[in-house]
Amino acid sequence: MESFIDIFHSIVDSTSGFLYTYWLVFALILCGLYLTIRTRFIQLRFLKDAFMVLKEKSHEKHISPFGALMISTASRVGIGNIVGVSVAIVGGGVGALFWMWLTALVGGASAFVESTLAQVYKRSDGEHRYKGGPAYYIETALKSRALGVIFAISLILCFTYGFNGLQSYTLTSAFEIFVGSESFNKGYFTFFVGFILAALVSFFFFGGGKSSATISTVLVPVMAFGYLVVALIVIGMNLDRLPAIFGNVLQEAFNFQAIFSGFAGSAIVIGVKRGLFSNEAGMGSAPNAAAAAHTSHPAKQGMVQTLSVFIDTLIICSASAFMVLCADLSTYADAKGMALMQNVMQGYFGSFGLLFVSVAIVLFAFTSLIGNYFYAEANFKFITHNKTALQIFRFSAVAMVFVGAQLNLQLAWDLADVFMGFMASINIVVILLLSNIATKVLKDYEKQRKEGKNPVFKAADVGIHDTEFWK
């Protein structure tokens, strides 16, 4: 007789397969292409402007554009960039990498639109602080409180109980290779790590958004830079293999016989799944961080958020992929997920490589736990401002970090995929409906730039009259 966990896992697996096979793969790419055309390739045209915005200073009590970028990057740059890439390559073949790249390229426009909307409709959250995101622009621009609440609930389920469970599981699994499988699976090790991790994150979950921005602003750039340096060393050692790797990626990406003989497990589906998990473009998560930034024009933060998508997938995910593909994978035929990356890095650098990638995963996953919770709390506050309810929610979020450390690999990934799919489905439809507002804001930015001004936004100038902040 099947256990409850087996039945639950079967339902989750079937739901995930349906969402990604028949809907999200097409919706994400078509939405990104449509918004890319409407914004005239905003993700490429204004890269220079995005870097200029990062230099802008804010009041010391505000979250700066750079701080907001680091919060969203903290959530994006995590296990999806290291473990997710290896999962994609093992599950969908090397062709999955191409579809991860495509998801990021077209997703940059989606990231711009959703983050610009979040800035337009942000609200005050006490002195020097702001809140916002899809739930807020759904309520205000679409005049639907009910749909806003549904989105907020889907985000909370996704990030608090889906993604953070997965982040906690992966962080914990990084230690398996050090303590041995028997001790890891049969002893109390996962309980110990889960307890320590839950205790650590509680300081940030109960500390508010400013503490999330502070830790992310410090740790994320250092981690990303260190990881890229090691990746470049590996790639430099294997330059002669790169042409063949690129050729193989393109060949397998368009191997339509293999794709259509098993679409649900194909390079396209796996690549889009892991690409979405990694860069979150169009999913509705990063706008919660974008709304928290203090800036003079909503389009500025929209442009900054496209940078986070590129940093995440085109740079860091690609670095991970090339490190895996430059190795002799036949040597690690039985390794999956975290274990594959650890074995690959150990093959390159011995014990240093093993230790380095393990520490990287722990730090990436830890900052992702914090960034994910930041999003969830913003949406919880949208539903209710009851302080007792908020405290209970915070305790439940801490508890999920502990529970996540006890999960298994497949259930952890499938659960995160389902919650992510529901949330993304709502946001994709909404940003398509509201894309005309984002394009108006973009045109206002471009007009002021052509006049030689540092753009300052006034909502009434573009015919928007339902904002709280930009009057």
Side-chain angles (χ1 to χ4, degrees):
M1 185 175 179
E2 286 186 295
S3 68
F4 172 77
I5 292 296
D6 291 332
I7 296 171
F8 177 69
H9 191 184
S10 178
I11 294 171
V12 170
D13 184 56
S14 299
T15 306
S16 175
F18 177 83
L19 273 173
Y20 288 90
T21 302
Y22 299 105
W23 161 243
L24 267 179
V25 169
F26 307 103
L28 276 168
I29 294 176
L30 291 175
C31 174
L33 284 172
Y34 172 74
L35 296 176
T36 294
I37 294 168
R38 282 212 69 177
T39 59
R40 293 174 291 127
F41 289 83
I42 180 65
Q43 62 267 52
L44 300 177
R45 288 194 299 126
F46 283 96
L47 278 178
K48 181 181 177 181
D49 287 55
F51 283 106
M52 289 172 58
V53 172
L54 292 179
K55 298 177 182 179
E56 293 185 359
K57 302 295 183 182
S58 298
H59 188 283
E60 62 178 6
K61 293 184 179 179
H62 283 303
I63 294 178
S64 67
F66 180 74
L69 173 67
M70 289 301 104
I71 289 176
S72 62
T73 305
S75 175
R76 286 185 170 117
V77 178
I79 63 173
N81 301 85
I82 303 177
V83 181
V85 170
S86 66
V87 168
I89 291 172
V90 171
V94 296
L97 183 58
F98 173 84
W99 296 101
M100 289 182 72
W101 289 336
L102 183 63
T103 303
L105 282 172
V106 301
S110 303
F112 169 80
V113 170
E114 63 183 359
S115 295
T116 298
L117 288 170
Q119 269 286 323
V120 170
Y121 293 103
K122 71 182 180 182
R123 302 175 190 175
S124 297
D125 186 26
E127 191 177 8
H128 304 302
R129 291 177 63 183
Y130 311 106
K131 61 186 178 182
Y136 294 86
Y137 57 68
I138 288 170
E139 180 183 46
T140 306
L142 290 181
K143 306 294 189 291
S144 178
R145 168 75 180 172
L147 184 59
V149 169
I150 290 171
F151 177 86
I153 292 171
S154 71
L155 185 143
I156 290 167
L157 289 173
C158 180
F159 279 86
T160 309
Y161 308 111
F163 283 4
N164 270 5
L166 178 56
Q167 299 285 358
S168 180
Y169 162 78
T170 307
L171 188 155
T172 305
S173 70
F175 295 98
E176 182 175 0
I177 198 170
F178 296 101
V179 300
S181 295
E182 187 172 350
S183 297
F184 185 83
N185 294 315
K186 296 182 179 179
Y188 295 96
F189 186 80
T190 58
F191 286 88
F192 174 75
V193 175
F195 178 78
I196 296 297
L197 192 56
L200 289 173
V201 298
S202 65
F203 289 107
F204 298 96
F205 289 8
F206 286 88
K210 188 64 180 177
S211 62
S212 299
T214 301
I215 189 70
S216 299
T217 302
V218 173
L219 272 182
V220 171
V222 173
M223 290 187 311
F225 179 76
Y227 188 71
L228 285 176
V229 167
V230 171
L232 287 173
I233 292 172
V234 172
I235 293 169
M237 292 162 53
N238 295 275
L239 281 176
D240 58 317
R241 302 191 64 182
L242 292 186
I245 289 173
F246 274 109
N248 199 18
V249 167
L250 293 175
Q251 181 181 346
E252 292 300 316
F254 295 98
N255 183 347
F256 291 110
Q257 182 178 354
I259 288 170
F260 292 109
S261 64
F263 190 69
S266 70
I268 295 179
V269 173
I270 300 295
V272 171
K273 264 188 183 182
R274 299 285 68 83
L276 176 60
F277 178 80
S278 178
N279 64 53
E280 301 176 14
M283 198 168 84
S285 52
N288 296 275
H294 179 75
T295 186
S296 66
H297 199 287
K300 289 183 175 182
Q301 197 60 36
M303 293 169 194
V304 166
Q305 291 305 320
T306 65
L307 274 183
S308 186
V309 173
F310 291 162
I311 291 168
D312 172 270
T313 304
L314 299 183
I315 298 177
I316 300 180
C317 279
S318 295
S320 294
F322 287 130
M323 283 195 289
V324 171
L325 295 176
C326 285
D328 181 4
L329 294 183
S330 63
T331 309
Y332 317 113
D334 296 328
K336 296 179 180 179
M338 183 69 218
L340 176 59
M341 285 302 302
Q342 288 176 317
N343 285 327
V344 165
M345 291 298 288
Q346 188 172 25
Y348 286 129
F349 301 108
S351 57
F352 168 78
L354 172 62
L355 183 61
F356 175 84
V357 75
S358 301
V359 170
I361 272 291
V362 168
L363 292 177
F364 277 143
F366 186 75
T367 55
S368 291
L369 285 168
I370 297 167
N372 290 347
Y373 176 76
F374 178 89
Y375 294 158
E377 183 174 303
N379 282 268
F380 190 89
K381 288 179 177 178
F382 173 82
I383 298 171
T384 178
H385 289 282
N386 184 286
K387 292 183 179 179
T388 301
L390 178 60
Q391 293 298 93
I392 293 172
F393 170 65
R394 285 171 171 167
F395 278 113
S396 76
V398 171
M400 187 61 207
V401 171
F402 173 80
V403 171
Q406 324 306 320
L407 294 177
N408 69 67
L409 175 67
Q410 194 59 47
L411 181 58
W413 279 101
D414 285 347
L415 197 60
D417 281 339
V418 168
F419 287 145
M420 177 174 69
F422 283 133
M423 189 176 96
S425 297
I426 298 171
N427 191 60
I428 287 168
V429 174
V430 169
I431 62 175
L432 286 172
L433 291 173
L434 299 179
S435 59
N436 62 313
I437 295 173
T439 53
K440 284 181 184 178
V441 174
L442 176 58
K443 288 176 182 177
D444 178 70
Y445 176 89
E446 291 181 277
K447 178 175 174 289
Q448 293 189 53
R449 286 283 289 145
K450 287 177 181 177
E451 293 170 353
K453 300 176 181 177
N454 179 17
V456 175
F457 186 65
K458 294 182 180 178
D461 290 348
V462 296
I464 301 173
H465 303 285
D466 52 359
T467 67
E468 175 186 302
F469 182 78
W470 300 102
K471 295 178 180 178

